[in-house]
Amino acid sequence: HARSTGPEIWRQVHSAIGDGAGIDAFVMSAGTGGTLSGVTLALRHLSPRPVRMVLADPPGSSLHGAVAYGAAYAPEQAERVLRRSRADTVVEGVGLDRTTANFRAGAASADAAIRVTDQDTVDAAHALLGT
C-alpha cells in the first residue's frame, strides 16, 4: 500500500483539488493494519507538510488502546466481561484484539485513535456516497 494505494490517493486528491491543495489528515479503520500503515507512510513521504493519521476503531477492537495507550486492550476484554465472541460489528474486516507486524510498521505511529460505532460508520459511508 505504500507503493500503490497511498500514492494513488495522493494523485487522485491532487487531480481533483489541484496542486496547491494537500492532505491534512487520513482517517481509516484497520484490520491487520497493512493498508493503514502503507497509506500513512506514503502520504507522509509525499506531502510537503505533516499529515495526521487517525485510527477509527470499532467496538471490541483493541487497536484503539494500542495507539492511545500503548497497550492492545479493549474494555470488552475485562475480566468477568469476556465472552466467547467479544463484539460483533457490521463493518467487515476491521478491529482486532492483537497487533500485527503490519500494524506496528506504521499504524502504531498514528497521531490519534477514536472509537466509532457501527452507526457512525454507516452514516459516514452514506455521507461520502451522497445518499
Side-chain angles (χ1 to χ4, degrees):
H1 296 287
R3 290 181 291 207
S4 58
T5 313
E8 178 64 21
I9 290 170
W10 181 262
R11 281 191 300 275
Q12 286 192 25
V13 166
H14 282 272
S15 69
I17 299 175
D19 289 333
I23 297 174
D24 297 315
F26 180 68
V27 180
M28 185 180 159
S29 294
T32 65
T35 304
L36 185 61
S37 293
V39 170
T40 297
L41 294 171
L43 294 180
R44 287 180 174 170
H45 174 75
L46 293 167
S47 179
R49 59 184 196 224
V51 176
R52 277 182 53 89
M53 193 280 280
V54 179
L55 170 72
D57 208 34
S61 172
S62 64
L63 299 180
H64 174 273
V67 170
Y69 309 111
Y73 172 79
E76 293 83 358
Q77 296 171 324
E79 288 185 42
R80 298 186 186 181
V81 175
L82 189 61
R83 298 183 315 248
R84 182 172 218 178
S85 177
R86 284 195 251 296
D88 190 17
T89 179
V90 299
V91 183
E92 183 65 32
V94 299
L96 291 177
D97 61 356
R98 61 184 165 70
T99 60
T100 65
N102 286 337
F103 184 83
R104 292 186 297 274
S109 68
D111 297 297
I114 57 172
R115 292 219 179 260
V116 294
T117 65
D118 282 341
Q119 192 61 56
D120 293 334
T121 305
V122 170
D123 290 347
H126 280 278
L128 289 170
L129 293 170
T131 60

